[in-house]
Amino acid sequence: MPLLKSWVESANAADCPFPLNNLPYGVFSTPDLSARCGVAIGDMILDLKRAEADGVIAQSGAAVFAGPAWNAFMALGRDRWAGLRNRLTALLSDGSDGQTALSALLVPMADATMHLPIQVAEYTDFYAGRNHAFNVGTMFRGAENALPPNWLHIPIGYNGRASSVVVSGTDIRRPWGQLKGPNDDRPRFAPSQRFDIELEMGAIVGQPSSGPITVQEADDNIFGYVLLNDWSARDIQAWEYQPLGPFQSKATATSISPWIVTAAALEPFRCDTPEREVPLLAHLQDAGPALFDIDLRVTLAPEGKAATTIAETNYNVMYYSAAQQLAHHTTSGCPMRVGDLLGSGTISGPDKTARGSLLELSWGGKEPLTLDSGDTRSFIEDGDTLTLAGAARGDGFTIGFGTCVGTVRPALDDPYTRG
Ligand code: CA
């Protein structure tokens, strides 16, 4: 597929993250406009609240774009998803007679504040990257026991917290928790010393289900994808995780990028999951290519200093697709809701520079990274800004995700010391 040309000139550059081929959905506000739904085109945002009110895009009865979330629109279903995308593509394409009506509804991205694009119903995080699972398992349990016996049969996950999902740009406060080193007699309560990122993709569930669904049905129910940083306190995690999995170590915050790149925009970039090391049971078998070829990058910038790229990888290295994760999530009869968010698990490629966490990049702190500034890092230090970026590269165009940014701020004083 070639670049689709738009009358919004900035959208036509080969490296523009938001060409007409993309049309990602977000929620924005300006000093003059309340938070509402919008679509990115070039360096502009089309105000869908006003487009709906003006009748430029189809009415459905109740206004679905006026509020600060995409949930109401997602609930309308796949036919409406396709209808909106077709309509926006027609209105914004070069030569469209919609230019006059829509020009007045464009807001410069530079003037906008972005918000969480969805009301997150629930958040589930998986562990579907083979390299990440092997690396972390090796560090926590030794190479012989690195992959748990269930790992090649089910996409392992845990129920995370929707309440701490935040939009890119939100500062992250270093958490306190129980820490216990291998040689300590007992735990102590202190700020995490091994605070980390996890480079992930987030899949957004756009249709509800009330019982087990197939991998194909799951793929159909996914509305789109975002970048996701699952902030992780490794020292809290190492002490608390057995036998029920991560809890407070992952509950501080999860950052997502503000633009939902739709499954429709990613269609040209579908790719297969890797060859299966053992056959999957029938209900989890692939229903077709369900991963996506998305280049991913992580940078770290110490406070007041330039950023260094610390990892480069691709979503296509995952062992399980989001569709398989969602299907697995429903096998027990667990209902899924519009606005459910599924984290892919840390995306680490086979090479050392392709690891999606500092835990792996510094190998548990044994091999600190040297940044371009000359600073070294094993884990995140206060004031560090971590930025995830992602893009699928087409022939003469880019399907960009924008960035997912967070700056880590110092721990507060001991929360249990009342002065
Ligand atoms: Ca994670």
Side-chain angles (χ1 to χ4, degrees):
M1 177 194 280
L3 171 77
L4 302 176
K5 283 198 77 176
S6 172
W7 51 262
V8 180
E9 268 304 320
S10 59
N12 297 329
D15 59 350
C16 173
F18 307 126
L20 186 55
N21 306 57
N22 193 348
L23 298 178
Y25 300 142
V27 169
F28 75 100
S29 65
T30 70
D32 300 322
L33 302 174
S34 60
R36 63 194 56 200
C37 295
V39 57
I41 179 75
D43 57 6
M44 308 294 275
I45 302 172
L46 177 64
D47 181 344
L48 291 178
K49 177 180 178 175
R50 282 187 289 165
E52 182 178 50
D54 293 354
V56 180
I57 52 176
Q59 299 279 354
S60 65
V64 290
F65 301 119
W70 278 81
N71 298 56
F73 176 76
M74 290 194 291
L76 297 176
R78 285 172 56 80
D79 288 351
R80 292 294 303 278
W81 304 352
L84 177 67
R85 184 171 171 81
N86 290 340
R87 180 72 178 145
L88 290 172
T89 302
L91 286 168
L92 290 165
S93 66
D94 198 24
S96 162
D97 57 11
Q99 181 169 353
T100 311
L102 263 62
S103 293
L105 306 181
L106 292 176
V107 176
M109 212 171 264
D111 295 346
T113 299
M114 300 305 298
H115 304 270
L116 271 183
I118 58 167
Q119 185 177 12
V120 180
E122 301 201 43
Y123 166 51
T124 308
D125 193 31
F126 288 89
Y127 190 52
R130 177 113 171 51
N131 301 301
H132 174 72
F134 183 80
N135 290 339
V136 173
T138 300
M139 278 183 268
F140 278 38
R141 290 180 296 275
E144 302 76 43
N145 302 311
L147 272 195
N150 54 8
W151 201 90
L152 294 171
H153 298 277
I154 49 174
I156 305 175
Y158 66 94
N159 290 302
R161 291 294 305 176
S163 62
S164 57
V165 177
V166 297
V167 72
S168 171
T170 306
D171 283 353
I172 308 300
R173 182 69 66 181
R174 181 182 298 276
W176 286 71
Q178 280 205 9
L179 319 179
K180 182 184 172 301
N183 302 318
D184 297 342
D185 291 339
R186 62 190 62 168
R188 64 201 168 94
F189 186 67
S192 171
Q193 300 301 301
R194 291 161 74 91
F195 199 50
D196 198 359
I197 55 159
E198 289 193 334
L199 166 62
E200 304 192 24
M201 297 296 299
I204 293 168
V205 177
Q207 280 289 282
S209 54
S210 57
I213 61 174
T214 66
V215 173
Q216 182 61 60
E217 288 166 337
D219 197 46
D220 290 344
N221 284 358
I222 294 172
F223 181 68
Y225 292 83
V226 292
L227 302 169
L228 185 150
N229 184 353
D230 183 33
W231 302 94
S232 299
R234 302 301 180 188
D235 35 14
I236 300 173
Q237 182 181 357
W239 170 233
E240 74 174 1
Y241 89 107
Q242 299 200 69
L244 294 184
F247 186 51
Q248 290 304 288
S249 55
K250 308 270 190 171
T252 300
T254 305
S255 300
I256 63 171
S257 52
W259 293 108
I260 304 169
V261 176
T262 61
L266 290 170
E267 273 303 319
F269 304 97
R270 279 187 181 271
C271 52
D272 289 314
T273 44
E275 193 169 332
R276 299 297 158 191
E277 295 178 36
V278 296
L280 291 169
L281 293 180
H283 68 283
L284 288 180
Q285 283 174 7
D286 294 279
L291 284 177
F292 298 96
D293 179 1
I294 300 167
D295 289 334
L296 299 166
R297 189 176 73 244
V298 183
T299 66
L300 189 160
E303 191 161 21
K305 296 182 182 175
T308 300
T309 297
I310 59 171
E312 288 182 287
T313 184
N314 192 296
Y315 182 48
N316 65 13
V317 301
M318 299 307 273
Y319 194 77
Y320 294 103
S321 65
Q324 286 168 317
Q325 293 169 334
L326 176 54
H328 173 60
H329 209 318
T330 67
T331 48
S332 60
C334 175
M336 301 302 292
R337 298 194 286 201
V338 173
D340 271 340
L341 174 66
L342 308 185
S344 61
T346 306
I347 304 167
S348 292
D351 301 331
K352 190 171 178 186
T353 55
R355 296 173 181 169
S357 67
L358 284 163
L359 177 70
E360 295 165 88
L361 288 162
S362 73
W363 204 253
K366 293 193 179 78
E367 302 169 19
L369 301 177
T370 300
L371 307 177
D372 295 347
S373 60
D375 299 85
T376 59
R377 285 292 183 279
S378 292
F379 293 96
I380 300 170
E381 297 194 6
D382 292 341
D384 285 354
T385 296
L386 281 300
T387 302
L388 317 184
R393 320 245 174 230
D395 182 13
F397 69 96
T398 303
I399 300 290
F401 283 77
T403 56
C404 180
V405 185
T407 299
V408 173
R409 300 302 179 192
L412 297 172
D413 293 341
D414 185 337
Y416 299 106
T417 301
R418 308 279 182 232

